[in-house]
Amino acid sequence: SSGINAEWPLRPGDETVLEPGQLKPNGIENLKCLGNLITWQKLAYDFGFSYNIEFECDAKVLILGEGKSLLPSDVVVPLKSMQDNTNYEEIISEIHSDQEMMDRFRKYLTVLRHIEYDQVSEELQQRIEQDFVAERKSNPKEVTGDTLHRSLVIARMYGLSRGHLKLEEEDWNSAKSLERDRLSRIAA
């Protein structure tokens, strides 16, 4: 194949429909723009005449793929089936065909992001700090401030999905467990 081909319409972030081939200059530029959108939340618009303007945006991107992505991402979540005979192509096909379900997921996640959330109790703040310091001591190269932020976001979303309007210790523990599981699947 002389270039990357995909079925139309190509869903942004859906790498499962790409075929092997050489990336053409326009495709390289598009990947660079998508990378900037994901990383910096800025989208460049080419007005022609070598004149680009960057627009700030708030775009949440989900990348579906069967291997390492061409695009940057903050979090990688490898799928792990509860059954050995899972057909991932069939699952991806079902997701693509049910846009109504995808729209419900998008709305659900958007609503969760905007729900008012109470402050974390002083006691739980201390516990989170202790957990973070202990993790950082055991793995200083991998555990960063971003790690703590990601864990707090996961805990918040997890708690909100369970109807909690403030972070509870069980939500924090569950978020840590989910993160450990995710990291073990990446290492495998």
Side-chain angles (χ1 to χ4, degrees), residues 110-173:
T110 300
V111 167
L112 283 183
R113 287 182 54 226
H114 296 288
I115 292 176
E116 281 194 42
Y117 199 66
D118 289 340
Q119 295 292 330
V120 178
S121 71
E122 181 107 8
E123 182 181 304
L124 187 51
Q125 278 182 7
Q126 290 174 352
R127 164 79 194 290
I128 291 169
E129 184 179 330
Q130 290 167 355
D131 287 352
F132 177 69
V133 168
E135 283 183 50
R136 184 122 166 101
K137 277 184 183 176
S138 68
N139 195 356
K141 290 182 182 176
E142 298 293 321
V143 179
T144 66
D146 288 339
T147 308
L148 175 61
H149 180 261
R150 181 175 44 252
S151 295
L152 287 168
V153 169
I154 292 168
R156 178 179 186 264
M157 295 296 231
Y158 182 83
L160 283 169
S161 70
R162 298 186 70 220
H164 302 158
L165 296 179
K166 73 176 198 175
L167 186 60
E168 296 183 12
E169 189 166 352
E170 66 183 281
D171 301 330
W172 173 249
N173 290 332

Side-chain angles (χ1 to χ4, degrees), residues 31-178:
L31 277 177
K32 194 165 101 178
C33 286
L34 279 172
N36 286 336
L37 172 71
I38 293 166
T39 303
W40 307 110
Q41 292 294 299
K42 292 184 179 184
L43 186 61
Y45 185 81
D46 182 1
F47 285 98
F49 317 110
S50 300
Y51 183 67
N52 288 349
I53 292 183
E54 284 188 342
F55 294 94
E56 291 191 15
C57 48
D58 183 18
K60 306 302 176 222
V61 179
L62 173 65
I63 302 166
L64 300 176
E66 296 177 6
K68 183 163 173 42
S69 177
L70 298 170
L71 298 167
S73 62
D74 293 331
V75 178
V76 174
V77 182
L79 296 178
K80 179 182 175 192
S81 175
M82 303 295 269
Q83 304 167 355
D84 290 336
N85 60 351
T86 299
N87 182 343
Y88 288 109
E89 287 179 18
E90 191 176 303
I91 292 169
I92 297 296
S93 176
E94 286 177 29
I95 290 170
H96 286 183
S97 67
D98 194 346
Q99 285 303 306
E100 192 176 307
M101 178 185 70
M102 291 303 294
D103 287 341
R104 286 194 305 264
F105 282 144
R106 288 183 187 101
K107 287 175 186 172
Y108 175 73
L109 292 172
T110 300
V111 167
L112 283 183
R113 287 182 54 226
H114 296 288
I115 292 176
E116 281 194 42
Y117 199 66
D118 289 340
Q119 295 292 330
V120 178
S121 71
E122 181 107 8
E123 182 181 304
L124 187 51
Q125 278 182 7
Q126 290 174 352
R127 164 79 194 290
I128 291 169
E129 184 179 330
Q130 290 167 355
D131 287 352
F132 177 69
V133 168
E135 283 183 50
R136 184 122 166 101
K137 277 184 183 176
S138 68
N139 195 356
K141 290 182 182 176
E142 298 293 321
V143 179
T144 66
D146 288 339
T147 308
L148 175 61
H149 180 261
R150 181 175 44 252
S151 295
L152 287 168
V153 169
I154 292 168
R156 178 179 186 264
M157 295 296 231
Y158 182 83
L160 283 169
S161 70
R162 298 186 70 220
H164 302 158
L165 296 179
K166 73 176 198 175
L167 186 60
E168 296 183 12
E169 189 166 352
E170 66 183 281
D171 301 330
W172 173 249
N173 290 332
S174 294
K176 288 188 342 181
S177 176
L178 288 169

